[in-house]
Short mmCIF file of all heavy atoms in Angstrom, two decimals:
data_model
loop_
_atom_site.label_atom_id
_atom_site.label_comp_id
_atom_site.label_asym_id
_atom_site.label_seq_id
_atom_site.Cartn_x
_atom_site.Cartn_y
_atom_site.Cartn_z
N LEU A 362 0.18 -6.57 1.45
CA LEU A 362 1.61 -6.67 1.79
C LEU A 362 1.87 -7.75 2.82
O LEU A 362 3.03 -8.10 3.08
CB LEU A 362 2.12 -5.32 2.29
CG LEU A 362 2.03 -4.16 1.30
CD1 LEU A 362 2.69 -2.92 1.86
CD2 LEU A 362 2.63 -4.54 -0.04
N ILE A 363 0.82 -8.27 3.44
CA ILE A 363 0.96 -9.44 4.31
C ILE A 363 0.74 -10.71 3.50
O ILE A 363 1.40 -11.73 3.73
CB ILE A 363 -0.06 -9.37 5.47
CG1 ILE A 363 0.02 -8.02 6.18
CG2 ILE A 363 0.16 -10.51 6.44
CD1 ILE A 363 1.33 -7.74 6.85
N ALA A 364 -0.18 -10.65 2.54
CA ALA A 364 -0.49 -11.83 1.72
C ALA A 364 0.64 -12.19 0.77
O ALA A 364 0.70 -13.31 0.26
CB ALA A 364 -1.78 -11.58 0.93
N GLN A 365 1.54 -11.24 0.49
CA GLN A 365 2.69 -11.48 -0.38
C GLN A 365 3.91 -11.71 0.50
O GLN A 365 4.46 -10.76 1.05
CB GLN A 365 2.92 -10.29 -1.31
CG GLN A 365 4.14 -10.41 -2.20
CD GLN A 365 3.83 -10.99 -3.56
OE1 GLN A 365 2.69 -11.07 -3.97
NE2 GLN A 365 4.86 -11.38 -4.28
N PRO A 366 4.36 -12.95 0.69
CA PRO A 366 5.43 -13.21 1.66
C PRO A 366 6.79 -12.67 1.26
O PRO A 366 7.62 -12.38 2.12
CB PRO A 366 5.46 -14.74 1.76
CG PRO A 366 4.90 -15.22 0.46
CD PRO A 366 3.88 -14.19 0.06
N THR A 367 7.05 -12.56 -0.04
CA THR A 367 8.34 -12.08 -0.53
C THR A 367 8.13 -10.78 -1.28
O THR A 367 7.41 -10.75 -2.28
CB THR A 367 9.00 -13.12 -1.45
OG1 THR A 367 9.15 -14.34 -0.74
CG2 THR A 367 10.36 -12.63 -1.91
N LEU A 368 8.75 -9.72 -0.82
CA LEU A 368 8.56 -8.43 -1.49
C LEU A 368 9.72 -7.50 -1.18
O LEU A 368 10.54 -7.76 -0.30
CB LEU A 368 7.22 -7.79 -1.07
CG LEU A 368 6.88 -7.72 0.42
CD1 LEU A 368 7.55 -6.52 1.07
CD2 LEU A 368 5.37 -7.63 0.61
N GLY A 369 9.75 -6.40 -1.92
CA GLY A 369 10.77 -5.38 -1.72
C GLY A 369 10.12 -4.06 -1.37
O GLY A 369 8.89 -3.95 -1.28
N LEU A 370 10.93 -3.03 -1.21
CA LEU A 370 10.42 -1.70 -0.88
C LEU A 370 9.40 -1.24 -1.90
O LEU A 370 8.41 -0.57 -1.56
CB LEU A 370 11.59 -0.72 -0.80
CG LEU A 370 11.22 0.76 -0.68
CD1 LEU A 370 10.45 1.03 0.60
CD2 LEU A 370 12.48 1.63 -0.75
N ASN A 371 9.60 -1.58 -3.18
CA ASN A 371 8.72 -1.07 -4.24
C ASN A 371 7.27 -1.50 -4.07
O ASN A 371 6.36 -0.84 -4.56
CB ASN A 371 9.24 -1.50 -5.61
CG ASN A 371 9.36 -3.00 -5.76
OD1 ASN A 371 9.78 -3.71 -4.85
ND2 ASN A 371 9.00 -3.52 -6.91
N TYR A 372 7.03 -2.60 -3.36
CA TYR A 372 5.66 -3.06 -3.17
C TYR A 372 4.83 -2.08 -2.33
O TYR A 372 3.61 -2.04 -2.45
CB TYR A 372 5.66 -4.43 -2.48
CG TYR A 372 5.94 -5.59 -3.40
CD1 TYR A 372 7.21 -5.78 -3.94
CD2 TYR A 372 4.95 -6.50 -3.73
CE1 TYR A 372 7.49 -6.85 -4.77
CE2 TYR A 372 5.22 -7.58 -4.56
CZ TYR A 372 6.49 -7.75 -5.08
OH TYR A 372 6.75 -8.81 -5.92
N ALA A 373 5.48 -1.33 -1.47
CA ALA A 373 4.75 -0.43 -0.57
C ALA A 373 4.05 0.69 -1.32
O ALA A 373 3.20 1.37 -0.75
CB ALA A 373 5.71 0.15 0.46
N GLY A 374 4.35 0.88 -2.59
CA GLY A 374 3.68 1.91 -3.36
C GLY A 374 2.17 1.70 -3.44
O GLY A 374 1.41 2.66 -3.60
N VAL A 375 1.72 0.44 -3.33
CA VAL A 375 0.29 0.17 -3.43
C VAL A 375 -0.50 0.80 -2.29
O VAL A 375 -1.74 0.89 -2.37
CB VAL A 375 0.00 -1.34 -3.49
CG1 VAL A 375 0.68 -1.97 -4.69
CG2 VAL A 375 0.41 -2.03 -2.20
N LEU A 376 0.18 1.25 -1.24
CA LEU A 376 -0.51 1.86 -0.11
C LEU A 376 -0.96 3.29 -0.42
O LEU A 376 -1.76 3.85 0.34
CB LEU A 376 0.40 1.87 1.12
CG LEU A 376 0.83 0.50 1.65
CD1 LEU A 376 1.73 0.68 2.87
CD2 LEU A 376 -0.37 -0.36 2.00
N ILE A 377 -0.49 3.87 -1.50
CA ILE A 377 -0.86 5.26 -1.81
C ILE A 377 -2.36 5.43 -1.96
O ILE A 377 -2.96 6.32 -1.33
CB ILE A 377 -0.11 5.74 -3.07
CG1 ILE A 377 1.39 5.83 -2.78
CG2 ILE A 377 -0.64 7.10 -3.54
CD1 ILE A 377 2.25 6.10 -4.00
N PRO A 378 -3.06 4.61 -2.77
CA PRO A 378 -4.52 4.76 -2.83
C PRO A 378 -5.19 4.50 -1.50
O PRO A 378 -6.20 5.14 -1.17
CB PRO A 378 -4.95 3.72 -3.87
CG PRO A 378 -3.72 3.32 -4.59
CD PRO A 378 -2.57 3.58 -3.69
N ALA A 379 -4.64 3.59 -0.70
CA ALA A 379 -5.23 3.29 0.61
C ALA A 379 -5.13 4.50 1.54
O ALA A 379 -6.06 4.79 2.30
CB ALA A 379 -4.53 2.08 1.24
N ILE A 380 -4.01 5.22 1.49
CA ILE A 380 -3.85 6.41 2.33
C ILE A 380 -4.90 7.46 1.95
O ILE A 380 -5.48 8.12 2.81
CB ILE A 380 -2.43 6.99 2.18
CG1 ILE A 380 -1.41 6.02 2.77
CG2 ILE A 380 -2.32 8.34 2.87
CD1 ILE A 380 0.04 6.43 2.52
N ILE A 381 -5.15 7.61 0.64
CA ILE A 381 -6.17 8.57 0.20
C ILE A 381 -7.55 8.16 0.70
O ILE A 381 -8.34 9.00 1.16
CB ILE A 381 -6.16 8.69 -1.34
CG1 ILE A 381 -4.81 9.23 -1.83
CG2 ILE A 381 -7.29 9.61 -1.81
CD1 ILE A 381 -4.67 9.26 -3.33
N LEU A 382 -7.85 6.88 0.66
CA LEU A 382 -9.14 6.40 1.17
C LEU A 382 -9.27 6.69 2.67
O LEU A 382 -10.33 7.12 3.14
CB LEU A 382 -9.29 4.90 0.92
CG LEU A 382 -9.50 4.46 -0.53
CD1 LEU A 382 -9.53 2.94 -0.61
CD2 LEU A 382 -10.78 5.05 -1.11
N ILE A 383 -8.19 6.46 3.41
CA ILE A 383 -8.22 6.74 4.84
C ILE A 383 -8.42 8.24 5.08
O ILE A 383 -9.19 8.65 5.95
CB ILE A 383 -6.92 6.27 5.52
CG1 ILE A 383 -6.78 4.73 5.44
CG2 ILE A 383 -6.85 6.74 6.97
CD1 ILE A 383 -7.80 3.98 6.23
N TRP A 384 -7.73 9.06 4.30
CA TRP A 384 -7.84 10.51 4.45
C TRP A 384 -9.25 10.99 4.17
O TRP A 384 -9.76 11.91 4.83
CB TRP A 384 -6.84 11.20 3.51
CG TRP A 384 -6.68 12.67 3.79
CD1 TRP A 384 -5.81 13.23 4.67
CD2 TRP A 384 -7.39 13.73 3.17
NE1 TRP A 384 -5.94 14.60 4.64
CE2 TRP A 384 -6.90 14.93 3.73
CE3 TRP A 384 -8.39 13.80 2.20
CZ2 TRP A 384 -7.39 16.19 3.35
CZ3 TRP A 384 -8.88 15.05 1.83
CH2 TRP A 384 -8.38 16.22 2.40
N ARG A 385 -9.91 10.39 3.21
CA ARG A 385 -11.29 10.77 2.91
C ARG A 385 -12.22 10.47 4.09
O ARG A 385 -13.19 11.19 4.31
CB ARG A 385 -11.78 10.01 1.67
CG ARG A 385 -11.17 10.49 0.37
CD ARG A 385 -11.36 9.48 -0.74
NE ARG A 385 -12.75 9.28 -1.09
CZ ARG A 385 -13.37 9.87 -2.11
NH1 ARG A 385 -12.69 10.70 -2.88
NH2 ARG A 385 -14.62 9.63 -2.38
#
C-alpha cells in the first residue's frame, strides 16, 4: 500500500491475510 502511490479504500483489503499472519 506504500508501493502503490494511487489507491482507494478497496486496496486495504489485501491486509486481511497479513493480519492473519500477524495473529499466528
Side-chain angles (χ1 to χ4, degrees):
L362 299 186
I363 308 297
Q365 176 94 14
T367 302
L368 49 82
L370 171 62
N371 58 320
Y372 280 70
V375 300
L376 298 180
I377 293 172
I380 293 173
I381 298 175
L382 290 176
I383 295 293
W384 191 87
R385 287 163 65 97

